[in-house]
Amino acid sequence: MSIGHTLLGLLESGPRHGYDLKRAFDEKFGHDRPLHYGQVYSTMSRLLKNGLVEVDGIEAGGGPERKRYAITEAGITDVGQWLATPEKPEPYLQSTLYTKVVLALLTHRNAADLLDTQRSEHLRSMRILTDRKRKGDLADQLICDHALFHLEADLRWLELTAARLDRLREAVTR
């Protein structure tokens, strides 16, 4: 995820302080990985330097000055281009799980046990996500669906690999 573009997009609704941007980001996108304040301010500094935001006001308070940021026309254009650019699908051709299966076969370990253990972990994660989805709002339901669909694909791969272990063992140990 492009944090810079996400913060720019949040600024399109109006100027905000860094604290407000962090809170909005965490509420909408950061349930599992909230932003650190330093990340917000370093990103805003870079966006300011690149002319994508400007300081809309500065407030003095009991602590450090609070800058209020506003998106510029260049920032709006940049977000529009980012939104219009499709994300490259991730083919997972360098899967850690595949590497573990092949190494288990090469080192004469039980690859079937490895696959069973991984299947159990995937099912555990799916139960947690399904519970979260049931209790969540629409945004949470959609992000959980995204993760669940990926886990389902992984489970299909685990089953297919388990069915082909003997053939894979022959292919990698030649």
Side-chain angles (χ1 to χ4, degrees):
M1 174 189 313
S2 171
I3 292 168
H5 286 110
T6 305
L7 295 177
L8 283 172
L10 290 171
L11 281 172
E12 280 202 47
S13 64
R16 298 182 191 214
H17 295 96
Y19 174 82
D20 297 328
L21 285 168
K22 179 199 173 349
R23 191 178 71 232
F25 181 96
D26 290 352
E27 182 181 300
K28 300 287 185 202
F29 312 108
H31 290 283
D32 297 318
R33 293 176 62 189
L35 285 180
H36 297 285
Y37 285 105
Q39 197 171 11
V40 172
Y41 293 110
S42 65
T43 301
M44 295 312 295
S45 177
R46 181 178 43 80
L47 295 173
L48 186 62
K49 185 177 97 179
N50 292 336
L52 302 176
V53 298
E54 60 192 9
V55 175
D56 185 58
I58 298 177
E59 298 172 11
E65 293 180 331
R66 293 183 54 188
K67 292 179 185 173
R68 188 174 55 245
Y69 298 96
I71 191 168
T72 63
E73 286 300 318
I76 291 169
T77 299
D78 196 56
V79 170
Q81 290 172 343
W82 178 69
L83 289 172
T85 304
E87 291 296 308
K88 183 178 179 173
E90 296 186 31
Y92 300 106
L93 294 177
Q94 293 297 320
S95 166
T96 302
L97 186 52
Y98 172 77
T99 301
K100 285 183 171 187
V101 170
V102 170
L103 284 175
L105 294 171
L106 288 173
T107 59
H108 307 291
R109 288 180 169 87
N110 192 331
D113 285 349
L114 184 152
L115 291 170
D116 286 342
T117 300
Q118 191 63 50
R119 185 180 303 104
S120 295
E121 184 61 21
H122 271 61
L123 291 171
R124 186 187 71 75
S125 292
M126 290 176 83
R127 282 190 296 275
I128 291 168
L129 285 166
T130 301
D131 187 52
R132 177 177 164 179
K133 178 182 164 181
R134 244 185 249 116
K135 296 174 183 173
D137 60 11
L138 180 59
D140 222 25
Q141 291 169 12
L142 288 171
I143 197 66
C144 288
D145 280 339
H146 186 264
L148 285 164
F149 293 152
H150 282 275
L151 288 169
E152 286 174 6
D154 287 351
L155 281 174
R156 287 194 315 268
W157 182 84
L158 290 166
E159 294 300 326
L160 180 66
T161 303
R164 294 179 175 174
L165 266 183
D166 290 336
R167 287 177 46 206
L168 182 59
R169 180 179 294 106
E170 287 177 25
V172 300
T173 57
R174 284 185 204 172

